[in-house]
Amino acid sequence: AQSVTQLDSHVSVSEGTPVLLRCNYSSSYSPSLFWYVQHPNKGLQLLLKYTSAATLVKGINGFEAEFKKSETSFHLTKPSAHMSDAAEYFCVVTPGGFQKLVFGTGTRLLVSP
Amino acid sequence: NAGVTQTPKFQVLKTGQSMTLQCAQDMNHEYMSWYRQDPGMGLRLIHYSVGAGITDQGEVPNGYNVSRSTTEDFPLRLLSAAPSQTSVYFCASIPTGRNTEAFFGQGTRLTVV
């Protein structure tokens, strides 16, 4: 069975400090992995995706994530948080790279001035 | 370019009432799906369709019905609304092939009283 574990339900940072949102996955097949962001009362927007081409993936708004197969992890990072980064972030796996998405429970990022 | 359009954005139902959430996409995607989002639980798959005339159950299908008569439309029917169906509902469509990203509608916030 495929699953995603987001290790923190809430993460609080100060503006200008680094962001780390943690994600571990379990998949029987070679997975594709995604990070989506949801701003309050909005839909979901793709931040970045891993599709086996490169283990370090760069996304929009300065975010990046590193795929580590040995640790079954796909943590999301950003060097310097901005107030506009405050949102909920979802780690998603598609087992075998196909369309059935499995979501983590989400991490709410809070950014203080 | 409309993408994925969901209607309505907000709805209040009384227990026992029925209604249909509409979802339409103009990207000619074969795969469409419905998710519900509840606090602390991420997004959970209700039903999905791999093409016109083909639907299947997801993780939480009870109390919901779907059909797919055209590629563009994938309505979700609540047969007899219950307070446990109070949630935010998202429709998604995904292109055919591996490692493709999902496109989400803006969501429908449903309250059952």
Side-chain angles (χ1 to χ4, degrees), chain A residues 30-32 34 36 38 41-44 46 49-52 88 90 94 96-106, chain B residues 31 35 37 40-43 45 48 57-58 90 92 94-107 109:
Chain A
S30 178
S32 290
F34 304 79
Y36 283 86
Q38 183 183 32
N41 300 312
K42 299 289 186 184
L44 286 88
L46 180 69
K49 66 179 180 181
Y50 165 76
T51 60
S52 78
E88 187 149 24
F90 292 98
T94 61
F98 290 101
Q99 282 80 0
K100 210 165 183 181
L101 310 181
V102 177
F103 281 79
T105 53
Chain B
Y31 187 94
Y35 293 86
Q37 182 180 20
M41 304 187 77
L43 277 73
L45 182 64
Y48 66 96
Q57 297 181 350
F90 287 98
I94 311 176
T96 303
R98 293 177 59 90
N99 308 321
T100 51
E101 69 175 272
F103 294 82
F104 289 88
Q106 290 298 298
R109 186 173 295 274

Side-chain angles (χ1 to χ4, degrees), chain A residues 22-80:
Chain A
R22 298 182 293 166
C23 172
N24 287 94
Y25 71 93
S26 168
S27 177
S28 304
Y29 308 98
S30 178
S32 290
L33 291 154
F34 304 79
W35 277 98
Y36 283 86
V37 60
Q38 183 183 32
H39 287 94
N41 300 312
K42 299 289 186 184
L44 286 88
Q45 179 186 18
L46 180 69
L47 270 182
L48 50 81
K49 66 179 180 181
Y50 165 76
T51 60
S52 78
T55 56
L56 183 62
V57 182
K58 294 187 183 298
I60 61 172
N61 301 333
F63 285 94
E64 62 182 38
E66 185 172 9
F67 174 73
K68 292 186 176 180
K69 187 175 181 179
S70 60
E71 299 176 9
T72 60
S73 69
F74 190 56
H75 301 334
L76 182 70
T77 60
K78 183 173 181 178
S80 176

